[in-house]
């Protein structure tokens, strides 16, 4: 048994071990609860303090963060405001630039439109004027073609030929007083041999020596003629007339074979068939006379010396051989000049653009004529009688008579 004093009443009472244990248990439970309650209270207070501290800490932290964020927000707002202002300024500046470019472009478009309208008006006026001119030219050409066709239909083949003869005669007479003062150019009226040419051209120098002679034949035909003639059909008869009238050259002035490129080149040399014969279009009637005449003028010296020798009855042994040699040399130069002249005439007939080329060919022709002239000038009686004792003796005899 154990004695226990009550702390409140101070009485002593005994309890056994079981009771003591129960009391002790109760005491312990009570103390434990009190201590637990106290500790819980303290813990609650600590918790409240900790919560309040945490709340205060969090609040302070949040306030600091909020302040910081507000500062950052203020900065961002300021930046945004500045950026917005800069953006507005940039937009305004870009807008002003674009508007200025737009206005400039609009003015350019307006000016271009005006230029386009003016150009269209100018082109329309020009085109209208050119169209009127072309229409007038076409009308004139059509009328001229119709007139020529009508004229050809009304004229017979013989009349067409006579018209071509008249044309050539008129062209020659235009230049007779200035370029051909000493020339004979008349119709061939002598038909005693059965045929005759159309015109004969002859020219002599002051001593009566013949410079050149040409037999001319003019040929044309109507477009309505059923049987078309060719130039070659008349060459044989022309050569016969030339020989009977003792003419050096023969020229066929022809409008036959109008589509022939061969004859449309201008002056066509047909001497491969008939000696010293040419076929020309009417526009080359005067040029062929001039060409042949100029070439003949350059060979007059040897003709004069030949006439002198013949007049004195000088023995001309080997003389003809020398003359032939000279003629061949001259003919070679003349043929070359003639071909080059023909090429020049061809260029003239084709286009005016080739005038420079024509000039070069003519200069080359003149050079060959000059060479021929030099050969003519270089030909003397002494050279012709070289190696000929008979002629040398004759000239020595003449010189002795002259000295006496």
């Amino acid at each position: 048994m154990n004695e226990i004093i009550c702390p409140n009443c101070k009485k002593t009472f005994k309890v056994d071990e079981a009771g003591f244990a129960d009391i002790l248990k109760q005491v312990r439970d009570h103390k434990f609860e009190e201590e637990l309650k106290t500790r819980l209270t303290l813990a609650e207070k600590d918790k409240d303090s900790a919560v309040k501290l945490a709340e205060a800490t969090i609040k302070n932290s949040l306030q600091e963060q909020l302040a910081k964020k507000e500062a950052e927000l203020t900065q961002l707002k300021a930046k945004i405001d500045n950026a917005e202002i800069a953006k507005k300024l940039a937009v305004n500046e870009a807008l002003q630039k674009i508007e200025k470019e737009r206005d400039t472009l609009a003015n350019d478009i307006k000016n271009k439109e005006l230029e386009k309208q003016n150009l269209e008006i100018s082109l329309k006026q020009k085109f209208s004027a050119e169209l009127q001119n072309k229409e007038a030219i076409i009308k004139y050409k059509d009328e001229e073609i119709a007139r020529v066709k009508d004229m050809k239909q009304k004229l017979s083949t013989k009349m067409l030929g006579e018209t071509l003869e008249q044309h050539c005669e008129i062209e020659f007479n235009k230049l007779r007083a200035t370029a051909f003062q000493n020339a004979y150019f008349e119709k061939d009226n002598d038909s005693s041999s059965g045929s005759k040419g159309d015109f004969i051209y002859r020219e002599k120098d002051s001593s009566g020596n013949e410079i050149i002679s040409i037999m001319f034949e003019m040929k044309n035909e109507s477009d309505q003629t059923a049987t078309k003639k060719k130039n070659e059909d008349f060459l044989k008869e022309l050569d016969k007339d030339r020989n009977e009238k003792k003419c050096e050259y023969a020229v066929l002035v022809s409008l036959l074979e109008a589509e022939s490129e061969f004859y449309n080149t201008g002056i066509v040399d047909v001497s491969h068939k008939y000696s010293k014969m040419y076929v020309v279009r009417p526009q080359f009637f005067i040029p062929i006379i001039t060409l042949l005449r100029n070439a003949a003028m350059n060979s007059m010296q040897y003709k004069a010396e030949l006439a002198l020798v013949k007049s004195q009855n000088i023995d001309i042994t080997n003389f003809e051989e020398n003359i032939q040699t000279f003629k061949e040399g001259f003919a070679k130069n003349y043929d070359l000049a003639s071909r080059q002249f023909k090429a020049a005439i061809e260029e003239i007939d084709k286009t005016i653009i080739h005038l420079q080329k024509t000039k070069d060919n003519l200069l080359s022709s003149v050079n060959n004529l000059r060479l021929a002239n030099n050969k003519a000038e270089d030909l003397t009686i002494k050279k012709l009688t070289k190696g000929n004792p008979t002629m040398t003796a004759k000239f020595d005899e003449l010189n002795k008579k002259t000295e006496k």
Side-chain angles (χ1 to χ4, degrees):
M1 296 295 286
N2 292 319
E3 291 182 354
I4 297 173
I5 298 173
C6 177
N8 291 325
C9 62
K10 302 301 186 181
K11 288 181 179 182
T12 304
F13 57 91
K14 292 181 179 181
V15 290
D16 55 12
E17 291 182 355
F20 182 79
D22 183 56
I23 293 170
L24 182 62
K25 181 177 179 300
Q26 290 181 6
V27 171
R28 286 180 177 175
D29 291 340
H30 180 70
K31 286 184 177 181
F32 178 76
E33 288 180 357
E34 288 182 353
E35 185 177 355
L36 180 60
K37 189 181 288 184
T38 300
R39 289 188 178 184
L40 287 172
T41 302
L42 291 174
E44 188 69 25
K45 290 181 179 180
D46 291 340
K47 183 187 77 171
D48 292 339
S49 297
V51 168
K52 289 180 178 179
L53 179 61
E55 288 179 350
T57 303
I58 292 171
K59 185 176 181 180
N60 291 333
S61 177
L62 289 174
Q63 288 178 346
E64 290 178 358
Q65 291 180 7
L66 180 61
K68 185 176 180 182
K69 293 296 181 182
E70 287 180 350
E72 291 179 355
L73 182 61
T74 302
Q75 292 179 355
L76 287 173
K77 285 183 177 180
K79 288 182 179 180
I80 290 171
D81 292 339
N82 293 334
E84 189 68 24
I85 293 171
K87 178 182 177 182
K88 287 182 179 179
L89 291 175
V91 169
N92 289 333
E93 184 178 356
L95 185 61
Q96 290 177 356
K97 184 177 180 181
I98 291 172
E99 288 177 347
K100 185 177 179 181
E101 291 178 352
R102 180 200 64 192
D103 295 339
T104 302
L105 183 60
N107 290 330
D108 290 342
I109 293 173
K110 187 176 180 180
N111 292 333
K112 294 295 183 183
E113 189 66 27
L114 290 174
E115 290 179 4
K116 178 185 176 183
Q117 292 176 359
N118 293 332
L119 182 60
E120 287 178 352
I121 293 172
S122 176
L123 288 175
K124 285 180 179 178
Q125 292 175 347
K126 183 179 179 182
F127 177 76
S128 178
E130 289 180 353
L131 185 60
Q132 290 177 357
N133 291 334
K134 287 182 179 179
E135 288 177 350
I137 292 172
I138 292 171
K139 182 179 178 182
Y140 171 78
K141 286 184 176 180
D142 290 341
E143 291 175 351
E144 186 68 14
I145 291 171
R147 186 186 66 80
V148 172
K149 284 185 176 179
D150 182 64
M151 181 190 71
K152 286 187 175 182
Q153 288 174 356
K154 291 178 181 178
L155 294 175
S156 65
T157 303
K158 177 61 178 175
M159 282 299 295
L160 284 170
E162 290 180 354
T163 301
L164 181 57
E165 292 176 17
Q166 292 169 4
H167 166 76
C168 293
E169 186 174 16
I170 291 170
E171 291 300 309
F172 183 85
N173 286 334
K174 287 179 181 178
L175 300 171
R176 186 191 289 269
T178 55
F180 305 105
Q181 297 177 3
N182 300 321
Y184 169 91
F185 182 75
E186 301 294 341
K187 286 185 68 67
D188 180 15
N189 295 317
D190 182 8
S191 59
S192 58
S193 62
S195 65
K196 62 183 181 65
D198 288 328
F199 282 91
I200 294 177
Y201 174 90
R202 295 186 189 277
E203 188 170 356
K204 296 181 179 181
D205 63 8
S206 56
S207 300
N209 298 315
E210 185 173 276
I211 300 172
I212 187 173
S213 57
I214 308 172
M215 171 64 73
F216 282 99
E217 181 76 15
M218 286 72 173
K219 287 298 176 184
N220 194 0
E221 64 184 358
S222 170
D223 292 335
Q224 307 302 320
T225 303
T227 304
K228 299 295 183 181
K229 296 289 186 178
K230 294 185 177 181
N231 291 313
E232 192 172 351
D233 297 338
F234 300 95
L235 300 184
K236 183 177 180 180
E237 188 69 20
L238 176 58
D239 186 60
K240 176 176 173 291
D241 293 338
R242 178 258 302 270
N243 291 326
E244 289 179 352
K245 303 301 168 61
K246 294 182 171 49
C247 292
E248 184 177 2
Y249 293 95
V251 176
L252 175 63
V253 183
S254 171
L255 284 173
L256 304 180
E257 300 182 70
E259 304 301 324
S260 172
E261 293 184 4
F262 178 65
Y263 290 110
N264 287 337
T265 56
I267 297 177
V268 178
D269 185 352
V270 292
S271 57
H272 60 285
K273 292 185 176 180
Y274 300 97
S275 175
K276 296 185 178 181
M277 184 177 291
Y278 300 88
V279 178
V280 301
R281 293 305 189 195
Q283 62 266 36
F284 299 105
F285 168 65
I286 295 298
I288 190 64
I289 295 177
T290 304
L291 174 65
L292 298 177
R293 179 174 178 260
N294 290 342
M297 292 288 288
N298 291 328
S299 65
M300 277 306 297
Q301 183 176 350
Y302 91 87
K303 287 186 177 181
E305 293 181 356
L306 179 59
L308 177 62
V309 171
K310 287 183 177 181
S311 67
Q312 295 178 352
N313 296 318
I314 299 175
D315 184 2
I316 55 171
T317 306
N318 297 324
F319 191 82
E320 289 293 338
E321 183 179 351
N322 292 333
I323 290 294
Q324 186 62 33
T325 301
F326 168 77
K327 284 185 176 181
E328 290 175 355
F330 176 82
K332 182 178 180 182
N333 289 112
Y334 173 77
D335 181 65
L336 180 58
S338 177
R339 291 183 183 181
Q340 290 170 336
F341 186 85
K342 181 177 69 176
I345 295 300
E346 178 183 357
E347 292 300 322
I348 292 173
D349 193 46
K350 285 182 178 178
T351 173
I352 298 302
I353 300 175
H354 294 157
L355 281 175
Q356 186 60 46
K357 183 176 179 180
T358 304
K359 179 181 176 182
D360 295 339
N361 287 330
L362 289 173
L363 289 175
S364 179
S365 173
V366 170
N367 184 53
N368 282 283
L369 289 174
R370 179 182 59 79
L371 294 174
N373 183 54
N374 291 340
K375 289 183 179 181
E377 291 179 351
D378 192 46
L379 183 66
T380 63
I381 296 296
K382 290 183 178 180
K383 288 186 176 182
L384 290 173
T385 58
K386 185 178 180 181
N388 190 324
T390 303
M391 293 183 67
T392 302
K394 288 288 185 180
F395 277 105
D396 290 341
E397 184 179 348
L398 287 173
N399 290 331
K400 289 178 181 180
K401 289 181 180 179
T402 303
E403 290 175 357
K404 290 180 179 181

